[in-house]
Amino acid sequence: MTKPLTSKSRREFIARTNEHLKSMKAGLVHELAAEFRPDNAGTGGGSLDTAELASMELEQNMTVILSKRDRDRIIEIDHALKRMAEANYGMCEACGFEITTERLKVMPFTRHCRDCKQDQEREAKTHYRGDDREQERSKGVGSSSAEDEINQQSK
Ligand SMILES: [Zn+2]
């Protein structure tokens, strides 16, 4: 009932982002599928299109074939697409207001407006125990430099 009206330009922006995320996801899955199944790499145009193949691969083999980082990315994309389908995309989960288009352009997966995110980060710093998920992510990015990153973070 209290949802703000969505302007036309906002809807167009979300539609464009939707297309962008879908192709991003298809690209990720396609890349990974090709990497793990070289037999199929040359036969590109089968009976399934990339999107269908992508969702099949995802359901059947996701936990096996995808690295954690790419899996996280695809899960983020899926969440964003789901929120778009439910018309919740771009709404802050904490305060319920629209996240600005500018912010969504930079961070299409964000679920919080800038204010709420800042509040959370302040909270996180207050309750910092040195074992949070941000560090998990850094580890995944490059295992060789992970220790350096952690050292820098814990300054
Ligand atoms: Zn908010």
Side-chain angles (χ1 to χ4, degrees):
M1 283 295 284
T2 55
K3 263 184 194 173
L5 286 173
T6 307
S7 69
K8 185 164 178 280
S9 65
R10 176 80 168 184
R11 286 201 305 272
E12 284 170 357
F13 165 72
I14 290 175
R16 276 200 309 275
T17 308
N18 183 287
E19 291 301 313
H20 178 63
L21 292 183
K22 278 180 183 167
S23 66
M24 196 195 276
K25 176 183 163 183
L28 266 177
V29 177
H30 188 75
E31 228 173 72
L32 286 157
E35 199 176 303
F36 283 89
R37 293 166 55 179
D39 292 353
N40 294 347
T43 60
S47 55
L48 294 169
D49 70 20
T50 309
E52 276 176 299
L53 188 67
S55 62
M56 280 176 60
E57 290 292 339
L58 209 56
E59 282 164 24
Q60 292 169 7
N61 299 321
M62 190 168 90
T63 52
V64 183
I65 65 168
L66 303 187
S67 73
K68 184 174 178 342
R69 186 166 57 114
D70 290 325
R71 210 161 67 221
D72 285 351
R73 173 51 53 90
I74 288 172
I75 288 168
E76 281 181 329
I77 293 173
D78 275 341
H79 282 170
L81 291 174
K82 184 164 174 284
R83 291 200 304 278
M84 284 172 183
E86 294 166 349
N88 287 326
Y89 179 76
M91 301 297 182
C92 175
E93 286 187 354
C95 69
F97 286 108
E98 273 191 0
I99 301 165
T100 62
T101 303
E102 289 310 310
R103 178 168 165 80
L104 288 172
K105 276 180 190 165
V106 182
M107 286 181 282
F109 307 121
T110 191
R111 290 185 232 178
H112 296 102
C113 70
R114 200 185 57 197
D115 288 349
C116 292
K117 187 68 188 174
Q118 280 175 352
D119 285 350
Q120 283 180 349
E121 279 165 5
R122 228 171 285 140
E123 282 275 293
K125 272 178 196 163
T126 315
H127 301 287
Y128 185 71
R129 287 194 300 270
D131 60 353
D132 67 9
R133 272 173 288 177
E134 287 303 317
Q135 288 200 0
E136 274 301 313
R137 287 184 176 224
S138 321
K139 274 183 209 167
V141 173
S143 46
S144 60
S145 63
E147 285 196 15
D148 292 340
E149 284 178 31
I150 288 165
N151 287 339
Q152 281 172 15
Q153 282 176 10
S154 59
K155 249 180 218 172

